[in-house]
Every structure is written in structure tokens, then in C-alpha cells.
Amino acid sequence: MDEEPAGTPSLLVLRCLGLGDFVTAVPALRALERSHPDHVRHLAGPAWYRELVRAAGLRWRVIPSGPLRTPPWKGRVPDLAVNLHGHGPRSTSALRSLAPRVLWTYGTPAVTGDTEAPWPGAVHDVRLWCGLLEWNGVPTRPTDLRWPSPDGHDGDGKTVLVHPGAAAPSRRWPASRFSRVVRWLSERGAKVLITGNAEERPLAERVARDAGRGPESVLAGRTTLSGLARTVAGARLLVCGDTGIAHLASAYGTPSVRLFGPMPPSLWGPIVDIDLHACLWSGSRGDPHANRLDPGLAALDVEEVLLACQRVLARSESHRPSPGGPLSAEEG
């Protein structure tokens, strides 16, 4: 990383997590842009955050970093470092080792110093990180989540995305149920595309095959992050679990049906355009990182999901008019 010109203040944020975690941090990142316009702003995270920074319309330099490691930094110490990664000792130590002039972080649940914000407990992730800034005197707008419409997105009014994957098995609704949803949507005239990353392509292919759909319906592993963002922005509906692509739907105002399991929508669901989304949750909590299907997620049946699709499709007609005619939301 090049050294900054003499006298230029620097701001370093640590947020080395996944897609959804990036999206939920956008209101806090925008608040820091407004409050520190003269700082050179650096975001320590995965290298692929660069695509997301551009898509969200942010102005940050991404420093490729590993989780819970000290970000690579040369030259003068950061004038301000902000821990948007977590509240554990490792993320705080990773920033403290750079000896920033000022460090903003949450304290651990057991120990909070005079300069550390007290950990608020279970609050929505967007409000969690905005709260850290508010504690340090920075005004925020937690609902400032929407992203600019990307160039070249496909808004044909017929495309429906189904995303069967999730980072942990506890948050993956069974593939056979997703197949039934894909079949139902296809029978009602939707152009269904099944999304995912390269590792999730076999899962997406299974869902497509069991739904009687051909390989052309499988988008998993065939898009860049920017391409996925354009696809979500132009979609008529997204059906998915509690995973990163759901937050892109919030960013672009794309109607969605989201299946929650171990974690409730109050922590990770949409906080803007609530009427465009349906969040299904059985009411029980569990381990979001477990290696088996969460019982609460397993309790959600296909019929409940189909009814939610009907409701969201019907409500969204007035919000997202289709140039090709509305997709029927009626049972056939």
C-alpha cells in the first residue's frame, strides 16, 4: 500500500466477513464517509470487496486482509481505526497492533473500558454497527441501505431467482423442497434461475434437475459478484434462506421470500421496504454455524413458502411494474 501524502489523515475499518455482512455495514460506512470527508478511507476485508464497494457507490480503498489478522499497513499509523468486524479480543487486537491514534470498538461482554462502547447484545446487525458510531458521536442513518441501480440489469419482469445454498448446513433448507418451489414458479410462467457460487453449483444442478429444469436455468458458479448484483437488481422475486444474497435484495428493493432458521429476522431480516419481503421463521433459535439442518428451518413446509411467494408477487405488482406483463400469482 502506498504511503499517503504528508498531513493527509487516514481512516481504517476492519470488516473481513461475507457478502451479507458487507451489505449490513453499508450504512455505517456511508456515515463514516460523511463524517470524515478529508480522510483517506481504507477497508480491510476480502479482495472481492472491491466489486461490492463499486456496486454500493462507496468511496473506500480495499486492503485485502484475512479474518482476524492485522491488516497489512505501511507508513504512518492510522489516525482512526474502527472495528466493524466484531467485539471479540482478536479483532480488536488486530487493529490495536497497528497503534492507531484513535480506536473505536465495542468492548467484550465481560470487559468494557472507558474508551470502548458497551456491547448492546442482540440487535439487528445494521443497527449494531451504526450504534458503535453513534456512541462515538457520528450521526448515522441505519435505513440508508439502498444501492444505485446497476447498469445493464435485466428487468424483464419474469425472472425469479431461487438460491438454495447457505454457508452452513444449519441454514440450508432441503434441496428437494427448493425443487418443488422451482417447479411451482416455472409452471406459472416464471423464468427461474438458480443461483449460487461455484461450490454450490452441484446443489443448484440437483435442484434444477429434480424440478425438471435444464442446465440453462443454473446460474450458480457462472457470475461475478457484479453480475450477480445486476441479476438480483432486475429480478421479479428472490427465494432464499438467511444468506448473503438476501441482503442484496434489500439493497436493490427486489421482492423476496426468506427462510429463517436458527436466527430470527429481527437480527438479519430487512429493515427497509418491509412490504416487499416475506420472512418465514418458526420462532425457535439455534446455532447458525451448525453442521446439520436447524429444526426450526426444517419446520417450514413447501406450502407455506408457496403462499408467501403468492403474497409477495401480488403485493409487488404495484411497486415493480413488468413491461412484459405481470407474473401470475394465482394458484393454478
Side-chain angles (χ1 to χ4, degrees):
M1 184 189 71
D2 296 334
E3 292 189 24
E4 307 299 342
T8 304
S10 58
L11 164 60
L12 173 64
V13 165
L14 177 64
R15 182 72 169 175
C16 196
L17 296 163
L19 169 59
D21 304 285
F22 176 90
V23 180
T24 56
V26 164
L29 294 173
R30 286 176 173 164
L32 287 169
E33 287 184 349
R34 293 190 297 269
S35 63
H36 294 77
D38 298 328
H39 285 59
V40 178
R41 296 176 295 272
H42 305 269
L43 175 60
W48 46 267
Y49 269 14
R50 292 189 178 113
E51 286 189 76
L52 299 177
V53 164
R54 289 192 297 270
L58 297 170
R59 298 176 298 279
W60 292 76
R61 299 182 182 183
V62 174
I63 304 176
S65 306
L68 301 177
R69 295 183 180 179
T70 299
W73 187 269
K74 296 179 182 179
R76 295 180 295 107
V77 300
D79 291 281
L80 171 63
V82 183
N83 184 1
L84 297 185
H85 186 92
H87 69 289
R90 292 178 63 189
S91 59
T92 300
S93 296
L95 287 176
R96 188 168 281 140
S97 65
L98 295 174
R101 290 186 171 88
V102 178
L103 173 62
W104 293 351
T105 185
Y106 277 118
T108 64
V111 180
T112 299
D114 293 338
T115 61
E116 297 174 333
W119 182 248
V123 298
H124 193 283
D125 201 62
V126 171
R127 301 187 187 281
L128 177 67
W129 304 112
C130 285
L132 174 62
L133 303 189
E134 293 277 358
W135 193 84
N136 286 283
V138 174
T140 67
R141 305 169 191 163
T143 57
D144 187 15
L145 274 165
R146 292 294 292 272
W147 292 14
S149 180
D151 295 333
H153 73 75
D154 177 16
D156 63 4
K158 292 290 186 181
T159 300
V160 173
L161 306 180
V162 174
H163 189 94
S170 62
R171 290 181 280 124
R172 292 183 206 141
W173 202 48
S176 59
R177 301 187 198 179
F178 271 116
S179 295
R180 290 175 60 188
V181 174
V182 170
R183 185 182 294 276
W184 184 89
L185 290 165
S186 299
E187 289 172 349
R188 281 148 186 81
K191 174 188 174 184
V192 182
L193 296 177
I194 305 167
T195 57
N197 59 31
E199 293 179 355
E200 293 167 338
R201 186 169 178 83
L203 171 62
E205 290 174 337
R206 175 186 169 190
V207 169
R209 183 175 59 253
D210 291 349
R213 310 304 298 168
E216 71 281 354
S217 67
V218 178
L219 203 60
R222 293 168 44 200
T223 63
T224 62
L225 270 175
S226 300
L228 180 63
R230 287 193 299 271
T231 302
V232 172
R236 179 75 168 81
L237 174 70
L238 168 68
V239 183
C240 64
D242 174 21
T243 191
I245 195 172
H247 299 283
L248 282 181
S250 292
Y252 289 120
T254 298
S256 69
V257 173
R258 310 184 192 187
L259 285 58
F260 286 81
M263 301 301 289
S266 61
L267 299 183
W268 289 99
I271 63 171
V272 294
D273 304 318
I274 303 299
D275 58 329
L276 292 181
H277 310 284
C279 295
L280 306 181
W281 183 49
S282 66
S284 64
R285 298 197 186 200
D287 180 0
H289 307 293
N291 61 4
R292 67 173 68 182
L293 177 63
D294 179 75
L297 182 57
L300 300 179
D301 59 36
V302 173
E303 288 69 26
E304 185 177 2
V305 175
L306 298 184
L307 285 173
C309 289
Q310 284 185 277
R311 291 195 301 271
V312 172
L313 286 168
R315 284 201 305 261
S316 65
E317 286 179 7
S318 60
H319 293 272
R320 298 170 63 89
S322 166
L327 174 68
S328 172
E330 297 181 358
E331 281 281 3

mmCIF file of all heavy atoms in Angstrom, residues 24 179 284 292:
data_model
loop_
_atom_site.group_PDB
_atom_site.id
_atom_site.type_symbol
_atom_site.label_atom_id
_atom_site.label_comp_id
_atom_site.label_asym_id
_atom_site.label_seq_id
_atom_site.Cartn_x
_atom_site.Cartn_y
_atom_site.Cartn_z
ATOM 1 N N THR A 24 -24.776 -5.199 5.265
ATOM 2 C CA THR A 24 -25.313 -4.633 6.502
ATOM 3 C C THR A 24 -24.397 -3.563 7.092
ATOM 4 O O THR A 24 -24.828 -2.780 7.942
ATOM 5 C CB THR A 24 -25.570 -5.718 7.558
ATOM 6 O OG1 THR A 24 -24.351 -6.452 7.802
ATOM 7 C CG2 THR A 24 -26.650 -6.685 7.100
ATOM 8 N N SER A 179 -36.714 -27.591 -4.963
ATOM 9 C CA SER A 179 -37.109 -28.076 -6.285
ATOM 10 C C SER A 179 -38.600 -27.921 -6.505
ATOM 11 O O SER A 179 -39.058 -27.550 -7.602
ATOM 12 C CB SER A 179 -36.702 -29.544 -6.451
ATOM 13 O OG SER A 179 -35.303 -29.682 -6.435
ATOM 14 N N SER A 284 -38.052 -20.532 16.729
ATOM 15 C CA SER A 284 -37.032 -21.152 17.575
ATOM 16 C C SER A 284 -35.639 -20.745 17.119
ATOM 17 O O SER A 284 -35.389 -20.549 15.930
ATOM 18 C CB SER A 284 -37.155 -22.677 17.540
ATOM 19 O OG SER A 284 -36.893 -23.169 16.235
ATOM 20 N N ARG A 292 -25.714 -29.374 10.787
ATOM 21 C CA ARG A 292 -26.943 -30.095 10.451
ATOM 22 C C ARG A 292 -28.090 -29.107 10.319
ATOM 23 O O ARG A 292 -28.038 -28.009 10.867
ATOM 24 C CB ARG A 292 -27.266 -31.156 11.509
ATOM 25 C CG ARG A 292 -27.637 -30.583 12.861
ATOM 26 C CD ARG A 292 -28.103 -31.668 13.815
ATOM 27 N NE ARG A 292 -27.015 -32.561 14.187
ATOM 28 C CZ ARG A 292 -27.155 -33.625 14.973
ATOM 29 N NH1 ARG A 292 -28.371 -33.933 15.439
ATOM 30 N NH2 ARG A 292 -26.138 -34.371 15.284
#
